[in-house]
Amino acid sequence: MDHQRVFVKVVGFTDVERHALNTVFRLSEHRDPAYAPWIEGVQGMPAAPEVLLVDGESAEAVLTHVRELPAGQRLIWVGPGAPAHAWRVLSRPIQWAILLTDLDAMFAARLADSGYVDLDISTPVPLDATAGALQTERGLLVGPDGPDRQRLTDWLGTAGFESVDTAPGTDEAVALIGRQTYAMVILDIDAPLVDAWSLAALLARTAPDALVLGLSEHAGPLTAWWRRRRLIRHVDNSPMHGLLARPVDQTQLREAISRWRRPG
């Protein structure tokens, strides 16, 4: 298959954010798909971009609420006030790994439209649709054991996940991910048999709509600030979507799920 390129129209954003986004575009040139900014009127550009990346706090954002999107175009919205036809909604600070995951999902949609993949996700997803509505309401816990595992299983059941699988380590998790489709995965970063970073990368490729959270005692307030900051930086630079502190807290988990589902 030829090298694929997805064009993104960027609306708004600060100079710092645009610099980071341009870095993402440059780095993507070495992967497939590659991403590039869409600029109107430039020779070689398609008639319309495949993705709109809109800063919800910019003056131009209001036009996105009233303008109908061309068929197959996706809207990724950053910040509050997203319109109902937004395909993805991100919050600040922007986690660029999540953005790349969403752009890769856009590429998967284009493959579907081209006939390479037997999958129909050509219609924008309404904000009241959950990640689980796209897949199976099934969760996976990798690493937690004892009381942590039991509490997380119970809480995920309360949150609407029909079933929750568990895996003690990386090998078992890879086998489960190959057989099942998960809407949510919690990775115990502290567990010695769990390579949380590799599993997060695997899930970004195979289950881009899944909510992937890390779990660590080093994320709690009693941890030295420099160690907590280093862990948060690692998570932000990974395909994980967030970090839970041990001891696990139901409110923290519920808020993470709520942010991901983004009720309308």
Side-chain angles (χ1 to χ4, degrees), residues 42-211:
V42 173
Q43 186 176 6
M45 290 283 168
E50 288 124 318
V51 178
L52 284 179
L53 178 62
V54 176
D55 175 4
E57 298 177 2
S58 67
E60 305 97 314
V62 66
L63 298 176
T64 312
H65 278 270
V66 298
R67 184 177 296 163
E68 184 176 352
L69 297 180
Q73 190 177 78
R74 293 294 200 274
L75 168 61
I76 298 179
W77 187 276
V78 177
H85 56 275
W87 179 64
R88 289 288 186 272
V89 180
L90 303 177
S91 59
R92 283 184 166 90
I94 301 170
Q95 298 188 37
W96 299 107
I98 296 178
L99 178 59
L100 270 181
T101 297
D102 285 341
L103 289 172
D104 281 346
M106 167 63 210
F107 171 67
R110 192 170 76 175
L111 283 185
D113 294 338
S114 301
Y116 287 110
V117 182
D118 184 16
L119 179 69
D120 182 11
I121 52 175
S122 57
T123 304
V125 179
L127 289 181
D128 58 353
T130 68
L134 298 176
Q135 305 181 24
T136 302
E137 280 288 347
R138 193 181 192 101
L140 173 63
L141 305 177
V142 184
D145 57 9
D148 281 350
R149 181 172 61 191
Q150 187 59 56
R151 280 193 288 265
L152 287 169
T153 299
D154 293 342
W155 293 341
L156 289 177
T158 301
F161 290 87
E162 297 173 0
S163 59
V164 179
D165 296 334
T166 62
T170 300
D171 292 344
E172 296 84 356
V174 169
L176 285 171
I177 292 168
R179 294 196 301 267
Q180 303 289 348
T181 300
Y182 293 101
M184 179 175 183
V185 181
I186 297 178
L187 305 172
D188 189 343
I189 297 173
D190 302 335
L193 298 179
V194 177
D195 184 349
W197 316 108
S198 295
L199 286 173
L202 172 64
L203 288 162
R205 296 193 301 271
T206 61
D209 287 312
L211 170 58

